Amino acid sequence: MPWAPPGGGVWGEGRLGVSAESAAPATRSRIKRKTTSTKLINRKSMTLCSCSGVNTMTSDDMDGPVEDIGSRSCVTRFVKTLLSIMEHGVKPHSKHLTEYFAFLYEFAKMGEEESQFLLSLQAISIMVHFYMGTKGPENPQVEVLSEEEAEEEDEEEDILSLAEEKYRPAALEKMIALIALLVEQSRSERHLTLSQSDMAALTGGKGFPFLFQHIRDGINIRQTCNLIFSLCRYNNRLAEHIVSMLFTSIAKLTPEAANPFFKLLTMLMEFAGGPPGMPSFASYILQRIWEVIEYNPSQCLDWLAVQTPRNKLAHSWVLQNMENWVERFLLAHNYPRVRTSAAYLLVSLIPSNSFRQMFRSTRSLHLPTRELPLSPDTTVVLHQVYNLLLGLLGRAKLYVDASVHGTTKLVQYFSFMTYCLISKTEKLMFSGYFMDLWNLFQPKLSEPAIATNHNKQALLSFWYNVCVDCPENVRLVVQNPVVTKNIAFNYILADHDDQEVVLFNRGMLPAYYGILRMCCEQSPTFTRQLASHQNIQWAFKNLTPHASQYPGAVEELFNLMQLFVAQRADMKEEELEDIKQFKKTTISCYLRCLDGRSCWTTLISAFRVLLENDEDRLLVVFNRGLVLMTESFNTLHMMYHEATACHVTGDLVELLSIFLSVLKSTRPYLQRKGQPTSPLTL
């Protein structure tokens, strides 16, 4: 942010001049509600300051005692009278404060003499005391009237102050701009020439009360930033104390009340260039932020996430200190909002706009960032962050006890690691941490009877994605006897009426069964072992009949079924017998549990895989499978003829095809038994 002096660098072109005759009517004007408006200040008063005839102030106007300053020119007397209103006759809820301070601000901008005149009147102290006086018991109000109007005091009570209106901080925007302008105008080379009372008003008191109060009220934060720049130039010690005050305030205030302080911190961080002598605000801020992050972690992390992409110093500092904050806020913190903010801060470290935007536009469980080319420098930063997260897999087990930490503490952690899988390189980087992942999953996540354990869902999603198109990671599973023995043990609740459980299973089960499928594709031994596992039969029985609720999981289960019945030329007799036994068990299970009137999709999908020969088909006949298929056919036939918008033709044709193949298988059997066959040619 290039620095500009308060007032925007716009200075008045003309000199002040006015005659006593033209000033007198304005000075005699009554200051009251209807006339203290843009017309009063900006038309009449500014007319006084724009005429060119007589100098505003004589050389003697600012000499002599303070009480006599500004007494020799009608314009200066008028301005002095306006300033006195703040001491006696105006309140913070007055209606026309905006115009009041706008006039004084424009007056100060007209030239150096005008600014020095206001400084000589200690205008800064007057404004600060006026503003700070509004924070305590209100002082009795005094009206400022001309001599001619004093007689009308009892008749008209309509004065500048409007006690019935609320305090309006926005009306004081010009006041802060005026103070910032006057402070900068008081500079003489390396020093400010402010009076002792003005400096005390701005920087005196414990915790800089004036700065704290108007920042908290959110009054003109941009000009407040300029004011701090002016005060702290060539004064590093004051800059450190002001930054300390900002963070102390953040620690004490609510997140909503702390917003103006974060806004000011952003402006201070954005400072670049400018005149010499400016302190390094960015360094002071970054050194102090960890001291208050415990009090307001979410806001601090969000603020850092905004700063890191735009500020190299902030980016370097956050990246180098990851070991001090990542586990603390991404894994260990109790509030999901804080863990999410920590994940966003990690994303902001990756110097790629597309990488950051895609993360923010997706949901809590992210998919790998495919087809996203990154520059070499960006990849280095990504790997640095990803490596740190992989190293935390061993410590993640500290946060999985549901009775202590709940079931969501690791969601953001695994979600971000999944998002980092942009190529096979990141997947291979995981290989060295596989056992840390396994020891986290089993038994701490796989065995507890928790219906919706989101930590387990996030872990399985990462594990699945790190194995896709990476056979090296799949081999880590199938070559480890401990893993192959226990991976099929995973608690799953199949409550099809509980929508929360259904949604959870819809997200978790495809990843889990997808991992098992990839292992079976690579290891025949594991395939045979898994085919006989009781939990697989449970899944066929309890999940595949509900394809509409768990479409992804059911698809993976039928893929597994195809692998279980697949035969190879080099298979041993024992393996063939295992396949035969699996088909027999599974067919019998389906014939017992399926309802033909509603589960025709499951029936068709299962029989398409399992009925490979006449022996399999006869097993269907002997176990009343024809009745089951007839019920399915009747339902489909009725839907085909009576229901509208039901596209069941494909299912109907496929079911009839299976039906026909089963009927044909009975003919050789009946012939062997010596029984007559039906005249119908099968």
Side-chain angles (χ1 to χ4, degrees):
M1 180 187 70
W3 183 85
V10 180
W11 311 100
E13 297 178 357
R15 301 300 306 137
L16 292 178
V18 68
S19 64
E21 292 77 7
S22 62
T27 356
R28 290 197 300 267
S29 297
R30 177 185 175 86
I31 301 175
K32 59 182 182 178
R33 179 180 180 182
K34 295 180 181 179
T35 59
T36 309
S37 62
T38 306
K39 291 182 179 180
L40 170 65
I41 294 178
N42 290 341
R43 289 177 57 186
K44 292 186 178 181
S45 301
M46 290 308 295
T47 298
L48 294 174
C49 301
S50 60
C51 296
S52 57
V54 181
N55 287 337
T56 308
M57 296 163 284
T58 67
S59 60
D60 299 328
D61 223 3
M62 291 189 289
D63 298 332
V66 174
E67 58 270 14
D68 293 336
I69 294 177
S71 61
R72 301 180 183 180
S73 164
C74 56
V75 175
T76 53
R77 289 200 303 272
F78 174 72
V79 173
K80 188 175 179 181
T81 302
L82 282 180
L83 283 175
S84 69
I85 293 177
M86 272 188 285
E87 298 178 292
H88 305 295
V90 69
K91 289 187 177 181
H93 45 254
S94 297
K95 183 176 182 181
H96 299 293
L97 279 181
T98 301
E99 292 80 3
Y100 175 77
F101 286 111
F103 166 74
L104 293 174
Y105 180 53
E106 293 299 325
F107 176 80
K109 285 169 60 178
M110 296 184 74
E112 182 178 355
E113 288 187 4
E114 287 77 6
S115 298
Q116 293 300 325
F117 171 65
L118 291 175
L119 286 169
S120 67
L121 294 176
Q122 297 185 348
I124 292 177
S125 298
I126 293 173
M127 288 185 283
V128 171
H129 293 154
F130 155 73
Y131 174 72
M132 295 304 294
T134 66
K135 302 305 173 185
E138 294 181 349
N139 297 323
Q141 183 178 347
V142 178
E143 298 181 27
V144 180
L145 305 175
S146 66
E147 294 179 358
E148 295 180 6
E149 296 167 332
E151 299 176 357
E152 304 173 10
E153 183 175 355
D154 296 333
E155 298 177 5
E156 295 189 21
E157 299 293 335
D158 193 8
I159 61 173
L160 180 64
S161 297
L162 300 175
E164 71 276 7
E165 293 190 13
K166 292 184 177 181
Y167 170 50
R168 298 174 299 155
L172 304 178
E173 297 275 334
K174 293 295 185 181
M175 183 191 77
I176 302 301
L178 174 58
I179 293 175
L181 174 61
L182 293 177
V183 170
E184 183 59 27
Q185 290 288 2
S186 73
R187 177 166 300 283
S188 174
E189 296 182 356
R190 297 172 64 93
H191 304 285
L192 296 176
T193 59
L194 292 174
S195 67
Q196 186 175 358
S197 62
D198 283 350
M199 183 60 77
L202 292 173
T203 62
K206 184 179 180 181
F208 303 99
F210 171 68
L211 291 175
F212 165 79
Q213 194 62 58
H214 84 261
I215 294 170
R216 181 180 179 180
D217 288 341
I219 304 174
N220 204 338
I221 301 300
R222 171 58 66 189
Q223 287 295 341
T224 301
C225 182
N226 288 336
L227 172 61
I228 292 174
F229 285 154
S230 296
L231 289 171
C232 297
R233 189 177 171 193
Y234 296 109
N235 194 340
N236 292 341
R237 188 169 180 269
L238 179 60
E240 291 187 49
H241 285 315
I242 290 178
V243 170
S244 177
M245 177 273 292
L246 296 177
F247 282 111
T248 302
S249 304
I250 289 171
K252 294 179 179 180
L253 296 173
T254 63
E256 183 178 358
N259 281 332
F261 292 87
F262 279 105
K263 184 177 179 181
L264 178 58
L265 288 176
T266 299
M267 294 178 182
L268 295 174
M269 285 287 293
E270 290 174 347
F271 174 77
M278 284 296 181
S280 177
F281 282 99
S283 299
Y284 299 152
I285 291 170
L286 294 175
Q287 290 169 7
R288 295 297 305 272
I289 193 167
W290 291 134
E291 298 177 15
V292 302
I293 201 167
E294 282 291 347
Y295 302 98
N296 204 338
S298 181
Q299 255 184 320
C300 288
L301 293 169
D302 288 342
W303 181 80
L304 284 171
V306 174
Q307 299 306 312
T308 49
R310 63 176 67 167
N311 189 299
K312 291 183 178 180
L313 180 61
H315 181 276
S316 175
W317 186 82
V318 173
L319 188 65
Q320 293 171 3
N321 286 274
M322 284 193 298
E323 293 183 357
N324 298 329
W325 64 269
V326 172
E327 179 182 351
R328 180 180 170 192
F329 296 111
L330 184 64
L331 281 77
H333 207 279
N334 290 325
Y335 293 104
R337 179 70 181 86
V338 174
R339 298 195 297 271
T340 300
S341 296
Y344 281 141
L345 179 53
L346 284 173
V347 173
S348 72
L349 289 173
I350 312 303
S352 168
N353 288 331
S354 54
F355 186 91
R356 292 192 293 264
Q357 291 169 359
M358 290 176 64
F359 183 86
R360 293 179 181 275
S361 64
T362 51
R363 297 188 178 184
S364 57
L365 286 178
H366 292 81
L367 298 176
T369 316
R370 300 177 184 273
E371 300 179 1
L372 183 62
L374 300 180
S375 67
D377 292 341
T378 301
T379 304
V380 169
V381 176
L382 174 65
H383 287 176
Q384 184 178 349
V385 174
Y386 181 57
N387 256 324
L388 177 85
L389 296 178
L390 289 174
L392 292 174
L393 277 171
R395 294 189 55 78
K397 61 186 178 183
L398 301 175
Y399 311 108
V400 295
D401 187 344
S403 62
V404 178
H405 301 285
T407 61
T408 62
K409 271 201 170 180
L410 303 182
V411 171
Q412 291 84 0
Y413 169 64
F414 280 112
S415 179
F416 179 72
M417 285 209 297
T418 302
Y419 187 71
C420 290
L421 301 174
I422 63 173
S423 68
K424 189 174 180 179
T425 302
E426 290 74 32
K427 297 178 182 180
L428 292 175
M429 290 170 63
F430 160 77
S431 300
Y433 302 91
F434 168 71
M435 287 308 299
D436 289 335
L437 180 79
W438 172 252
N439 292 330
L440 178 62
F441 174 71
Q442 208 281 331
K444 295 181 180 295
L445 290 176
S446 62
E447 293 186 5
I450 301 173
T452 57
N453 192 332
H454 296 282
N455 289 332
K456 178 167 66 174
Q457 180 183 12
L459 181 148
L460 289 171
S461 177
F462 170 72
W463 193 0
Y464 170 79
N465 284 290
V466 88
C467 289
V468 172
D469 299 326
C470 188
E472 294 86 351
N473 286 336
V474 178
R475 279 197 292 271
L476 295 173
V477 178
V478 298
Q479 292 178 357
N480 190 313
V482 175
V483 177
T484 56
K485 180 181 178 181
N486 293 284
I487 193 172
F489 291 103
N490 180 27
Y491 178 81
I492 300 170
L493 176 64
D495 186 346
H496 312 301
D497 298 323
D498 189 326
Q499 189 63 19
E500 181 182 0
V501 175
V502 170
L503 291 175
F504 172 78
N505 287 336
R506 189 179 296 171
M508 180 196 72
L509 295 180
Y512 176 62
Y513 290 123
I515 295 170
L516 297 181
R517 172 185 54 77
M518 287 185 282
C519 293
C520 290
E521 289 173 343
Q522 196 164 120
S523 173
T525 303
F526 180 76
T527 303
R528 298 273 64 80
Q529 179 181 334
L530 185 64
S532 60
H533 201 283
Q534 58 183 358
N535 284 353
I536 290 297
Q537 288 297 322
W538 177 92
F540 289 147
K541 176 181 178 181
N542 292 281
L543 297 178
T544 55
H546 303 275
S548 61
Q549 291 179 302
Y550 318 107
V554 170
E555 181 182 357
E556 289 289 2
L557 283 169
F558 281 124
N559 290 337
L560 280 171
M561 186 184 292
Q562 289 180 327
L563 294 171
F564 293 156
V565 301
Q567 298 184 19
R568 303 187 315 276
D570 59 345
M571 272 189 168
K572 299 178 181 179
E573 186 65 29
E574 182 181 357
E575 293 177 306
L576 295 174
E577 187 61 32
D578 288 342
I579 293 176
K580 182 178 179 180
Q581 183 60 39
F582 168 77
K583 291 196 290 185
K584 181 178 179 180
T585 302
T586 309
I587 290 172
S588 300
C589 173
Y590 277 128
L591 292 176
R592 289 194 305 270
C593 73
L594 289 182
D595 183 350
R597 292 165 296 182
S598 59
C599 298
W600 68 84
T601 303
T602 304
L603 182 69
I604 293 170
S605 299
F607 282 1
R608 186 193 304 138
V609 176
L610 296 172
L611 304 185
E612 295 183 315
N613 52 49
D614 286 352
E615 185 177 356
D616 302 329
R617 299 182 184 99
L618 287 174
L619 182 62
V620 173
V621 175
F622 295 151
N623 288 275
R624 299 177 58 81
L626 293 177
V627 175
L628 190 67
M629 288 191 290
T630 301
E631 292 175 349
S632 297
F633 173 78
N634 289 337
T635 301
L636 288 171
H637 186 268
M638 180 184 65
M639 293 175 64
Y640 179 78
H641 285 285
E642 297 182 8
T644 58
C646 286
H647 306 287
V648 297
T649 306
D651 290 340
L652 192 58
V653 171
E654 195 159 4
L655 179 62
L656 286 173
S657 177
I658 295 172
F659 213 141
L660 179 60
S661 66
V662 170
L663 291 176
K664 283 184 175 181
S665 68
T666 61
R667 187 169 187 175
Y669 174 78
L670 293 175
Q671 289 176 344
R672 288 196 302 271
K673 293 292 186 179
Q675 297 182 12
T677 60
S678 169
L680 178 64
T681 302
L682 298 178

